[in-house]
Amino acid sequence: MTSSPLRPLIVLGTRPEAIKMAPLIRECLDRPSEFAPLICSTGQHREMLAQVLGYFQITPDIDLDLMRPGQTLTGLTADCLLAIDKTILEHRPDCLVVQGDTATVMSSAIVAFYHRLPIVHLEAGLRTGDLMAPWPEEFNRRVAGIVANLHCAPTVGAADALRREGVPEPNIRVTGNTVIDALLWTAERERAATNQWTSLYPFAAEGSMVLITGHRRENFGSGLENMCLALADLAVAFPETAFVYPVHLNPQVKGPVHQRLGHLPNMHLVPPADYPGFVWLMDRSQVILTDSGGVQEEAPSLGKPVLVTREKTERPEAVEAGLAELVGTDRERIVARVTHWLQQTDSADAGSQRSGTRAPSLSSPYGDGQAAGRIADWMLEAIQPTAR
Ligand code: UD1
Ligand code: UDP
């Protein structure tokens, strides 16, 4: 007797979830005799999500369209809980699959638990041990970890953190992070497309360049202000260097950043970049200044030093390998460390990067590009399709 395909409800809501879920979605869609996935977007993000789904050619079966301008954590969570509840009641999936630490992930995991659905958690076990950093993501990820059945840990360190919390051994696997699957696929596909990006970002076409991103809630207010002051100092000190900053659409980020930095001629404040364009920008840069989780994971594969504007990270592997450095949001420290890296990389090196997206290294601490296949195989092994 042949069994029917597994029907996972794959939920995503933000830009990084879409990037990191795309390889698993593609894996499931490529194996129709084994999987009949239902893809649900909560729409926690709108434009920034659409950019990624478009690139990976993913059309959600269900779009809950929840984003509201300037949404609050409580409002978003409440809307998400109710909308996911309705979705599960209507579609009766075999399991829930979530990735990471957002409000979408935490809310969906709670609702699936109420429905006694098996829960698959990608990127499980990342911890700083501090509920306030990253805030509220450390909490969101831990909540998902309490109720998850399959914990897909990207690294050995993440698996160890889960063991310390009492997660049973058979429920943990080190799968690698799907972010590397997505990066390798994208770099391979885009290697020849450099002209497209030099015309979109002419100021980044050659010479020295610093790439910047930032959006963490715990940095709102003084942290973000200090980072902007440091960037203004650097832009004046290095007038020949292009500072390229794709600004997150959160009004609490966009407002202060444009106000503080908009007047500087070599500071290029641009809208959120399409994922392949962002990969190209990372590859072109000499140094990256960011508080992003995903960028901390991607930059080491491209051989780029990352300065992390946070005091703690739940991704310590790159720091331990000397590929990333925590600089916090102290103005002097940021100026000193960016200066150090700009002086380290000579112009010959900058020139050698002009050829476009290079092949990322396979020796990333975060994965080998095969995570999605491992996760899909484990799902089939561990979760039975329900009879319909
Ligand atoms: C969210 C996640 C964070 C993740 C980040 C990735 C939570 C609590 N936060 O933070 O963990 O690192 O996404 O980027 O889940 N906006 C738009 N268009 C968009 C996206 C956002 O206009 O496409 C604006 C809206 O005004 C929205 C606001 O940004 O209300 C905040 O979005 P939200 O998802 O609540 O928080 P992020 O800071 O994006
Ligand atoms: N990214 C992108 N365009 C941008 C900035 C980032 O496509 O302008 C990608 C980046 O390559 C990474 C992900 O978005 O894969 C990180 O998202 P973000 O920093 O918003 O969230 P976090 O990873 O911190 O949760």
Side-chain angles (χ1 to χ4, degrees), residues 44-48 68 70-71 103 137 215 248 250:
Q44 175 176 338
H45 281 177
R46 188 168 296 147
E47 302 85 345
M48 287 159 56
R68 301 290 172 264
Q71 61 206 9
E137 288 83 2
H215 69 86
H248 194 285
N250 193 327

Side-chain angles (χ1 to χ4, degrees), residues 13-17 44-50 67-73 76 101-104 135-137 140 215-217 220 248-251 253 293:
T14 65
R15 167 172 69 190
E17 287 166 78
Q44 175 176 338
H45 281 177
R46 188 168 296 147
E47 302 85 345
M48 287 159 56
L49 184 69
M67 197 199 90
R68 301 290 172 264
Q71 61 206 9
T72 64
L73 292 176
L76 171 64
D101 59 7
T102 66
T104 288
W135 180 82
E137 288 83 2
N140 290 343
H215 69 86
R216 298 245 84 87
R217 278 181 160 73
F220 289 175
H248 194 285
L249 294 181
N250 193 327
V253 176

Side-chain angles (χ1 to χ4, degrees), residues 105-120:
V105 173
M106 187 263 290
S107 313
S108 309
I110 290 175
V111 178
F113 175 69
Y114 290 159
H115 286 276
R116 296 173 187 266
L117 271 185
I119 298 165
V120 183

Side-chain angles (χ1 to χ4, degrees), residues 71-278:
Q71 61 206 9
T72 64
L73 292 176
T74 308
L76 171 64
T77 302
D79 289 348
C80 211
L81 287 168
L82 292 174
I84 293 288
D85 190 55
K86 200 161 165 268
T87 304
I88 289 179
L89 282 170
E90 204 171 305
H91 295 276
R92 297 278 168 201
D94 294 325
C95 64
L96 172 83
V97 186
V98 283
Q99 190 287 330
D101 59 7
T102 66
T104 288
V105 173
M106 187 263 290
S107 313
S108 309
I110 290 175
V111 178
F113 175 69
Y114 290 159
H115 286 276
R116 296 173 187 266
L117 271 185
I119 298 165
V120 183
H121 188 202
L122 275 60
E123 206 181 77
L126 276 61
R127 300 285 187 272
T128 60
D130 179 352
L131 275 179
M132 300 311 289
W135 180 82
E137 288 83 2
E138 174 89 358
F139 170 78
N140 290 343
R141 201 187 297 270
R142 283 202 225 174
V143 170
I146 293 171
V147 294
N149 303 82
L150 306 192
H151 300 255
C152 304
T155 63
V156 171
D160 285 343
L162 292 163
R163 288 186 190 104
R164 283 196 295 276
E165 290 173 12
V167 176
E169 194 61 40
N171 296 12
I172 304 170
R173 272 197 199 173
V174 179
T175 56
N177 196 320
T178 49
V179 74
I180 305 298
D181 303 29
L183 183 66
L184 296 180
W185 187 82
T186 302
E188 172 72 34
R189 212 176 143 203
E190 300 292 332
R191 208 164 292 143
T194 196
N195 286 347
Q196 179 187 340
W197 306 118
T198 50
S199 38
L200 187 60
Y201 302 115
F203 38 80
E206 51 187 40
S208 150
M209 181 209 151
V210 178
L211 181 64
I212 303 133
T213 81
H215 69 86
R216 298 245 84 87
R217 278 181 160 73
E218 66 271 23
N219 283 348
F220 289 175
S222 63
L224 187 58
E225 294 283 323
N226 286 341
M227 190 193 80
C228 289
L229 289 169
L231 285 171
D233 294 345
L234 286 159
V236 172
F238 293 92
E240 304 301 322
T241 297
F243 291 80
V244 182
Y245 188 164
V247 186
H248 194 285
L249 294 181
N250 193 327
Q252 301 211 59
V253 176
K254 214 174 151 182
V257 166
H258 278 270
Q259 197 186 356
R260 293 273 176 203
L261 301 173
H263 61 288
L264 295 158
N266 54 335
M267 180 68 60
H268 304 277
L269 305 181
V270 295
D274 278 352
Y275 177 60
F278 191 76

Side-chain angles (χ1 to χ4, degrees), residues 230 307 310-311 325-339:
L307 302 178
R310 297 173 54 179
E311 300 298 341
E325 193 179 315
L326 296 176
V327 294
T329 54
D330 179 73
R331 179 176 175 178
E332 277 79 34
R333 183 131 190 250
I334 294 173
V335 171
R337 297 315 296 161
V338 174
T339 300

